[in-house]
């Protein structure tokens, strides 16, 4: 004898929510639609076990709630606990915009079972459900018992956390499985973060210090390349923001990296180190616009590479900091706001001394990691 949830009763409203919810990841929608094909049956909510959450009905012994009958409620109880600590109403928080980020193996639970429980209690449904793929290691399934795994704590003893953030996002579309490979990690960090992003920012700061006394120059004359570069800078926050709003995080990061790739070409074509002697107006415009992009990057990179963005803002002398944790309520620490990314800095603003944001990962360091990890 078990207790059941009347899942059949919610088949039609669930079907409507799944088919008509434009915010649901299409990958997730397709999984959920498969479950609806043959109709829904009532859902067993209990198990004959002694260990677990007791069934809160009458005098029931040796029977507990199925884990997914009670685990979901932890989302709300943890939200309530967090809200209470900060003097907020948890229902306001829950009703605003709830998004579930999950692994693809529990998509059904979050698109069928959990929404039906919320409907039964007349509570707001999730705004979206995002299902991520599996992460393998060097082409094989990770296994802690066999030692085929890279522990984050060990990784952080050798590498900055932003390097792991970058690699996992740029290498892992949310709707596909992905693989962590040490040599590919090295290649992407060296070629993309160091030679592309880091190189552009460092050259911008260095030449501003060398040729303009560490102050953002007045913009000079504009040609077609300058105008196109300026437009690319101004459109970047919208492009990245749209991708983030659609939960296409990799696409947003690609927008940033493609823009910095274009910025390096623009910088090379303009040759400000040469133009300061031959065409000062051109050199001014190049460094003026390059600094504006760096400022924009300090904002749009914050969700992706928060520690790197904080270092950039420190050189720019811009307020706002990255504070680890769920949310920072300390009003003494100004937070980085997205709208700032669209604002250009004033000419004459002083910047600090440039420091390399990234260091190339040497072959020996990767060989050491592979050797240590394989044993």
């Amino acid at each position: 004898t078990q207790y059941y949830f009347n899942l059949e009763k919610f088949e039609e409203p669930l079907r409507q929510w799944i088919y008509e919810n434009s915010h649901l990841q299409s990958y997730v929608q397709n999984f959920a639609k498969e479950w609806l094909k043959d109709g829904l049956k009532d859902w067993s909510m209990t198990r004959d076990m002694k260990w677990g959450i007791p069934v809160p009905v009458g005098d029931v012994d040796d029977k507990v709630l199925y884990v997914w009958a009670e685990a979901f409620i932890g989302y709300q109880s943890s939200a309530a606990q967090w809200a209470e600590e900060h003097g907020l109403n948890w229902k306001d928080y829950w009703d605003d915009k709830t998004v579930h980020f999950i692994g693809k193996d529990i998509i059904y639970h979050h698109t069928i079972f959990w929404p039906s429980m919320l409907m039964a209690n007349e509570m707001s449904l999730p705004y979206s459900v995002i299902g991520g793929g599996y992460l393998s290691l060097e082409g094989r399934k990770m296994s802690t018992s066999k030692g085929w795994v890279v522990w984050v704590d060990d990784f952080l003893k050798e590498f900055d956390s932003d390097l792991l953030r970058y690699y996992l996002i740029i290498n892992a579309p949310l709707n596909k499985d992905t693989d962590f490979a040490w040599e590919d990690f090295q290649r992407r960090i060296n070629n993309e973060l160091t030679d592309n992003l880091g190189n552009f920012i460092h050259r911008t700061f260095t030449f501003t210090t060398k040729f303009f006394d560490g102050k953002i120059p007045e913009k000079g004359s504009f040609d077609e390349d300058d105008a196109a570069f300026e437009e690319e800078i101004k459109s970047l926050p919208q492009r990245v923001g749209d991708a983030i709003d659609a939960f296409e995080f990799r696409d947003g990061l690609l927008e940033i990296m493609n823009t910095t790739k274009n910025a390096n070409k623009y910088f090379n074509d303009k040759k400000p180190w040469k133009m300061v002697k031959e065409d000062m107006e051109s050199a001014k415009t190049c460094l003026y616009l390059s600094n504006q992009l760096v400022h924009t990057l300090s904002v749009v990179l914050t969700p992706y590479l928060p520690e790197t963005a904080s270092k950039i803002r420190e050189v720019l002398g811009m307020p706002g900091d990255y504070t680890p944790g769920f949310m920072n309520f300390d009003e003494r620490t100004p937070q980085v706001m997205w709208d700032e990314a669209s604002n250009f800095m004033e000419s004459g603003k002083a910047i600090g001394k440039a420091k390399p944001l990234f260091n190339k990962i040497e072959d020996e360091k990767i060989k050491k990691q592979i050797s240590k990890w394989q044993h």
Side-chain angles (χ1 to χ4, degrees), residues 12-25:
E12 285 309 311
L14 277 172
R15 187 181 301 276
Q16 181 178 356
W17 179 70
I18 290 167
Y19 275 78
E20 298 180 8
N21 187 350
S22 61
H23 302 296
L24 276 182
Q25 188 183 22

Side-chain angles (χ1 to χ4, degrees), residues 137 140-151 372-375:
L137 174 61
R140 288 169 50 188
K141 182 179 178 180
M142 288 195 195
S143 170
T144 56
S145 61
K146 296 179 180 178
W148 196 263
V149 64
V150 177
W151 296 106
K372 179 175 66 175
W373 146 75
Q374 288 181 332
H375 291 87

Side-chain angles (χ1 to χ4, degrees), residues 113-177:
F113 303 142
W114 179 225
S116 66
M117 292 172 66
L118 291 170
M119 288 177 182
N121 286 279
E122 298 182 347
M123 291 182 171
S124 298
L125 301 183
Y127 175 83
S128 186
V129 178
I130 309 299
Y134 296 134
L135 177 65
S136 57
L137 174 61
E138 297 286 353
R140 288 169 50 188
K141 182 179 178 180
M142 288 195 195
S143 170
T144 56
S145 61
K146 296 179 180 178
W148 196 263
V149 64
V150 177
W151 296 106
V152 174
D153 283 349
D154 291 338
F155 180 93
L156 295 179
K157 292 175 184 176
E158 300 290 338
F159 305 99
D160 291 339
S161 59
D162 275 359
L163 304 188
L164 184 59
R165 291 185 179 103
Y166 178 80
Y167 184 68
L168 290 181
I169 295 173
I170 206 71
N171 197 42
L174 280 174
N175 60 348
K176 295 181 180 179
D177 296 342

